[in-house]
Amino acid sequence: MTAPEAPGRWPFLGHTPALLRRRFAFTDSLHEHGEIVKLHLGPMPAYFVTSPRLAHEVLVTAGPKFRKGVMFDKFKPFVGNGLVLSNGDFHRRQRRLMQPAFHRDRLAAYAETMRRAATELGDSWRPGEVRPLDEDLQGLAVTIVGEALFHTEIGKQAVDEARRSIYLIIQQGMIRALSPKFVENLPVPGNRRFDEAIERMRGIVVDVIRDWRTESVDHGDLLSTLLLAGMTDEQARDEVLTLLTAGIETTALALAWTFHELGRHADVEARVHAEVDEVLGGRPVTVDDLPRLTYVRQVVDEVLRCYPLWMLMRRTLEEVDLGGTRIPAGAEVIVSPHALHHDPASFPDPDRFDPGRWEPERAARLPKGAFIPFGAGNRQCIGNRFAQNEIVITVATVAARWRLVPLPGRPVRVKFTSAAYPDSLPMTAVPRHQ
């Protein structure tokens, strides 16, 4: 069977906010044309998978028949061959070596770092102060991932460099991935800033690794786990850069949108506050509290549904039969978490913010592949539990002390790169307990 063609050509290249908004609307509507729709990314044909059933097949059941797609190839020269970008036997080996870094005992230790960093952020606010919340939470995400990675003195310099450079690398890197090859060679300020930021980050990470080699001591951080597992300096560098770029954006955005939605929905905010007060009773949150913060996690899951990545790309290693459609070897296949998360067949009234969707009985009825905020299968984000814990711990820590109130008459607009960013998120910090 031949996949139907999408109406018109998809303008894959270019990245103005208006164009990207149109792309979201376009991709979210493709399910109306079938489970697989053939597109053209500029001159390149691709197959867009629109159903949870086939998304699950691409990412999980037929996962070994695919490798990462063209967008990921374009990132390799910048951040190396880390876990997000590598393929095949090398990817499987690296994932096994990294798995101990995300063991339950390690996650419990990271949870204390998360709580402390979130507490320090709350301590820095003053009653009635208008905070640039998106910037605050970006800084928090860098602090948490950076401190989990590096526990040495020189590691603090790496965290400082990450605060300076990592968001520039993420956003400019996505622009490069969506643009023709010649664009990265243009002598424009964005390219120059990106190249300089990459060189600075590589340099400081290499310095941290060399410093660690002089002692070879397990500091209880992620870098120690990588190096003690036998990775070369180059492999460890690539994995650190990957963890920094992949481990910061999702959590910072999820936290920003969580507090935005709490500010918009007084009933949801009240339930979050009531649950936090009941579970914590005025004491700091611990990792053992997370299973009891059930409504907070429902809110977080709904945020992850509403504001996910735009798309994942895979390339077929051989001819693949997807739902009766023959996909040739070497073809690009697209799965869009955003489109799947806004499919009314899985999520009725998908534009409505409704944490009740994640009550256990309702969530259990979702088809496999309908909700993939961290991907799925053997390429699922290795740090997904780290990220979920970070978001819930931060929300509980902040909500125990503060309400964050939107500014009247200041609508929050969305800008798009690989995911939805708030253009700015000013909110007033109001103490819950005077």
Side-chain angles (χ1 to χ4, degrees), residues 52-360:
R53 177 177 75 96
L54 294 187
H56 183 75
E57 187 167 346
V58 169
L59 299 176
V60 183
T61 56
K65 298 179 181 179
F66 295 83
R67 58 167 290 166
K68 288 297 184 82
V70 64
M71 281 181 58
F72 296 94
D73 291 344
K74 296 187 73 172
F75 275 107
K76 278 191 178 182
F78 315 136
V79 296
N81 199 33
L83 203 61
V84 171
L85 303 181
S86 58
N87 288 287
D89 291 340
F90 181 79
H91 172 268
R92 285 187 286 274
R93 175 183 177 275
Q94 289 296 97
R95 191 174 182 97
R96 284 196 300 271
L97 292 177
M98 294 180 67
Q99 202 67 55
F102 298 95
H103 187 272
R104 180 168 47 193
D105 293 342
R106 293 281 192 176
L107 288 174
Y110 304 145
E112 176 56 25
T113 298
M114 297 166 184
R115 183 206 60 76
R116 177 177 49 76
T119 299
E120 290 173 356
L121 176 61
D123 288 343
S124 73
W125 296 340
R126 298 293 174 263
E129 181 182 18
V130 176
R131 296 298 312 171
L133 197 65
D134 53 328
E135 296 177 15
D136 283 353
L137 295 171
Q138 288 173 5
L140 176 70
V142 172
T143 296
I144 289 171
V145 171
E147 293 189 8
L149 273 166
F150 315 114
H151 274 186
T152 61
E153 192 62 34
I154 191 172
K156 295 177 183 177
Q157 298 175 32
V159 176
D160 289 341
E161 184 56 56
R163 290 193 187 98
R164 177 186 180 190
S165 300
I166 204 66
Y167 284 97
L168 172 63
I169 291 170
I170 291 169
Q171 296 191 23
Q172 288 293 323
M174 179 54 62
I175 288 171
R176 288 198 179 191
L178 295 175
S179 300
K181 176 70 175 176
F182 74 86
V183 171
E184 64 192 66
N185 297 318
L186 294 176
V188 295
N191 281 344
R192 184 176 64 254
R193 289 194 298 269
F194 175 81
D195 292 337
E196 291 171 351
I198 281 288
E199 286 306 309
R200 289 195 305 268
M201 280 304 311
R202 283 179 180 152
I204 190 63
V205 170
V206 168
D207 288 345
V208 176
I209 291 170
R210 287 173 179 167
D211 183 71
W212 189 95
R213 292 287 191 197
T214 63
E215 297 180 353
S216 298
V217 173
D218 186 354
H219 297 287
D221 54 13
L222 280 161
L223 180 62
S224 296
T225 302
L226 303 185
L227 294 173
L228 288 170
M231 289 191 192
T232 67
D233 289 6
E234 181 180 3
Q235 289 168 350
R237 180 203 65 195
D238 290 353
E239 297 300 353
V240 167
L241 289 171
T242 297
L243 288 167
L244 284 169
T245 51
I248 289 173
E249 182 184 46
T250 299
T251 50
L253 289 176
L255 284 167
W257 290 123
T258 297
F259 288 113
H260 169 69
E261 294 293 352
L262 292 178
R264 294 176 63 230
H265 297 91
D267 57 332
V268 175
E269 181 188 55
R271 282 193 64 180
V272 165
H273 289 164
E275 180 175 84
V276 167
D277 292 347
E278 178 183 356
V279 171
L280 301 185
R283 60 173 174 74
V285 64
T286 71
V287 71
D288 295 331
D289 296 316
L290 299 184
R292 299 172 59 204
L293 292 167
T294 55
Y295 188 69
V296 173
R297 190 169 291 278
Q298 286 177 218
V299 171
V300 170
D301 281 346
E302 182 66 350
V303 167
L304 292 172
R305 182 192 72 81
C306 291
Y307 302 99
L309 289 173
W310 174 24
M311 65 180 183
L312 305 170
M313 293 190 73
R314 297 291 187 266
R315 182 180 300 138
T316 54
L317 291 170
E318 59 189 73
E319 186 178 73
V320 177
D321 185 326
L322 283 180
T325 298
R326 305 299 296 182
I327 310 295
E332 298 293 330
V333 177
I334 300 171
V335 174
S336 170
H338 192 279
L340 292 167
H341 293 189
H342 289 80
D343 184 347
S346 300
F347 301 100
D349 195 5
D351 293 328
R352 181 167 62 92
F353 186 79
D354 177 17
R357 299 181 200 274
W358 302 103
E359 293 170 357

